[in-house]
Amino acid sequence: ASVPTTTASRARSCMLRFYKTGTADEARDEAKLRASLDAAGSRLSSLVQERCYMVELKPGTTLSTDDEARLCWLIAETFEPEKTSRQSFLKLSPGATLLEVGPRLTFSTAWCSNALSICAACGLGQVDRIEVSRRYLFSASPAVVPADVPRYAASLHDRMTEQVYPTPLDSFVSDAVAAPTRTIPLMAEGRAALERLSAELGLGFDEADLEYYTKLFVSELKRDPTDVECFDMAQSNSEHSRHWYFGGTIVIDGVPQKQTLFQMVKATLKGPKVVDNSIIAFHDNSSAIRGFDVCPLRPGSATAPSAYAASTETSHLLLTAETHNFPSGVAPFPGAETGTGGRLRDTHATGRGSLVGAGISAYMVGNLRIPGFVQPWEDADAPLPPNLASPLDILIQASNGASDYGNKFGEPVVAGFARTFGLELPNGERREWLKPIMFSAGLGQIPAVQADKGKPEAGMWVVK
């Protein structure tokens, strides 16, 4: 539990703590912990949970009594303020195990960014960072031994974005140090050096990538690349950034084809039997088709308070879609969140600015193997990738993450679907959506006067 803080001691300490109990996700975490204990041959005897809001102030700043009361009001439950306190709700007892998990210290969470915006709007600019940890005080029969605690912790947190806190945090300062940039000896060792780096960092370079980049650096640039450059190239060639591939020449059985894949797709937009209603296609963050004349309410001034008045404009219909697969498999909730967020960014960034309307989310995963409800075609013992969440967790948490981000942004998810697939062929080969598909699409609208981005001009920066 935290020590009661006075104004004087607050100046010496940069971390404040607020505790909350009775949150909506406690039942979910209890089920996860119970299942983990059951798998290890133990039975959950007791469990008390709380969430700890860790608030770090900017150096040299303090909170007045009114400021602290305002901060506590923001954190507390609206109708149950008694469930929030400066003191911990957990009371240590013999034989009980205390486990705390929370965000990694090396980066601020998206939740923190939203919380800081709210604090600033409420006059609490002293708050520098605020994060939430989850604390569990539990006992089991037989008693939990320290060596087994990491196994139970693994069921309660996402190891990619969260970590176990052995002791309560006093600061968000991390002792992690960025690795120095390395030069890859491509000039001296040739392609073998690139193959080795690809295996080490999981860059996924295929034969064409290895051949192209080796030639690029050895024959044309005549220098060694850095590991940062190679990592960046791997990201540029990721599954949703293949425009250069679809624009490349197709060679089938040694015969170059007349059209690229992009040309084949674009051919459907023009022609005697095609209604030319395409406004934006293949050259912006989203696509748009011809819309209608509308009469929206607009403020008289964009830079000062003013009255709203009806105006007349042409508004086009906008649609964008993308997938966010591997991140949603590794860390389902934040992976799907960023999938939705990235797609929302594309919607807003179309032309010179557009408006979001409604979202669509879809998920395709392997066999669910629901505890107590395993289906006849599901093999409960089939191995799952150790670096990915289970299909059931992906389906639940990815759906929660996508909806959570859309709700916070103001775009409701109004449609979607979920599919599972797993099959063992007669020859024993396994076909299954172990790497999930997280599909995110969005409908929006864009004023016709803002549909054209404009051409780049000399002196403009290219920002990546």
Side-chain angles (χ1 to χ4, degrees):
S2 63
V3 177
T5 310
T6 65
T7 303
S9 63
R10 212 177 289 133
R12 297 194 298 268
S13 174
C14 62
M15 181 76 76
L16 306 179
R17 293 185 181 87
F18 297 83
Y19 299 90
K20 182 190 292 185
T21 188
T23 57
D25 49 5
E26 287 187 2
R28 176 204 67 192
D29 288 357
E30 180 179 351
K32 287 184 175 181
L33 181 59
R34 189 181 298 277
S36 181
L37 286 164
D38 288 346
S42 296
R43 181 175 57 85
L44 183 64
S45 302
S46 65
L47 171 64
V48 183
Q49 303 182 51
E50 68 182 9
R51 302 300 181 256
C52 178
Y53 291 74
M54 302 167 288
V55 182
E56 189 171 61
L57 303 181
K58 294 177 181 178
T61 64
T62 61
L63 292 182
S64 66
T65 302
D66 288 342
D67 289 339
E68 186 171 315
R70 192 181 310 125
L71 180 59
C72 187
W73 177 80
L74 288 173
I75 293 173
E77 290 292 341
T78 304
F79 299 108
E80 299 176 300
E82 71 278 2
K83 292 186 176 181
T84 303
S85 172
R86 287 299 310 277
Q87 306 297 320
S88 173
F89 292 93
L90 307 184
K91 307 301 180 184
L92 289 175
S93 59
T97 298
L98 177 60
L99 175 64
E100 183 174 9
V101 297
R104 289 189 175 275
L105 304 182
T106 48
F107 61 89
S108 298
T109 62
W111 184 91
C112 173
S113 298
N114 288 330
L116 289 180
S117 297
I118 294 171
C119 287
C122 293
L124 297 172
Q126 308 97 311
V127 178
D128 193 44
R129 183 176 175 183
I130 177 171
E131 301 286 3
V132 184
S133 68
R134 302 184 300 280
R135 291 162 54 89
Y136 311 89
L137 183 65
F138 65 97
S139 60
S141 177
V144 175
V145 297
D148 290 337
V149 172
R151 177 196 304 175
Y152 306 136
S155 68
L156 294 169
H157 77 291
D158 177 359
R159 63 186 183 277
M160 294 297 293
T161 60
E162 297 178 312
Q163 66 181 77
V164 175
Y165 299 153
T167 58
L169 296 184
D170 291 323
S171 170
F172 290 122
V173 175
S174 170
D175 57 2
V177 178
T181 302
R182 289 183 293 161
T183 299
I184 310 306
L186 205 58
M187 298 295 290
E189 300 181 19
R191 171 174 162 163
L194 204 56
E195 291 177 345
R196 187 170 62 250
L197 183 72
S198 179
E200 176 190 341
L201 299 182
L203 303 183
F205 287 149
D206 58 21
E207 288 294 317
D209 293 331
L210 292 168
E211 180 180 348
Y212 175 77
Y213 291 130
T214 300
K215 179 181 177 182
L216 174 66
F217 282 96
V218 173
S219 302
E220 298 182 24
L221 299 179
K222 301 185 186 302
R223 67 172 177 85
D224 289 326
T226 66
D227 56 348
V228 176
E229 288 177 311
C230 292
F231 192 87
D232 189 65
M233 291 185 297
Q235 300 309 302
S236 298
N237 290 338
S238 63
E239 60 189 13
H240 58 293
S241 300
R242 287 281 187 172
H243 284 199
W244 60 271
Y245 181 84
F246 287 103
T249 301
I250 303 174
V251 179
I252 302 177
D253 295 333
V255 180
Q257 303 301 298
K258 295 181 180 180
Q259 289 183 305
T260 66
L261 290 174
F262 254 150
Q263 288 171 338
M264 293 179 188
V265 175
K266 292 178 180 180
T268 63
L269 298 176
K270 304 292 182 181
K273 297 182 180 180
V274 177
V275 177
D276 188 11
N277 68 343
S278 178
I279 301 298
I280 301 174
F282 303 109
H283 68 270
D284 208 326
N285 297 67
S286 306
S287 296
I289 60 175
R290 192 173 307 281
F292 310 92
D293 291 336
V294 295
C295 298
L297 289 174
R298 294 280 187 256
S301 171
T303 59
S306 60
Y308 279 84
S311 62
T312 301
E313 65 180 44
T314 300
S315 185
H316 298 312
L317 306 177
L318 182 147
L319 173 65
T320 188
E322 66 175 57
T323 60
H324 214 238
N325 303 335
F326 189 69
S328 298
V330 175
F333 191 99
E337 268 194 317
T338 51
T340 298
R343 195 263 307 149
L344 280 166
R345 173 203 60 212
D346 286 341
T347 302
H348 261 320
T350 305
R352 294 195 299 278
S354 61
L355 300 173
V356 301
I360 302 167
S361 295
Y363 315 92
M364 285 152 274
V365 299
N367 288 328
L368 297 181
R369 311 183 203 180
I370 300 174
F373 194 67
V374 176
Q375 299 302 298
W377 61 85
E378 297 178 339
D379 182 358
D381 298 323
L384 295 173
N387 62 326
L388 299 179
S390 71
L392 182 59
D393 278 343
I394 293 172
L395 198 58
I396 295 173
Q397 294 304 319
S399 176
N400 290 344
S403 298
D404 180 77
Y405 198 103
N407 290 338
K408 290 175 180 175
F409 197 87
E411 182 203 65
V413 175
V414 299
F417 62 86
R419 295 172 182 165
T420 68
F421 176 78
L423 177 68
E424 184 175 331
L425 302 180
N427 63 0
E429 182 180 353
R430 181 183 177 192
R431 298 289 182 88
E432 190 168 351
W433 277 324
L434 295 179
K435 176 184 176 183
I437 299 172
M438 185 273 169
F439 174 83
S440 178
L443 300 166
Q445 63 189 65
I446 182 170
V449 294
Q450 295 180 199
D452 186 8
K453 252 188 172 57
K455 297 181 179 180
E457 301 174 4
M460 287 183 173
W461 284 33
V462 178
V463 181
K464 184 173 183 180

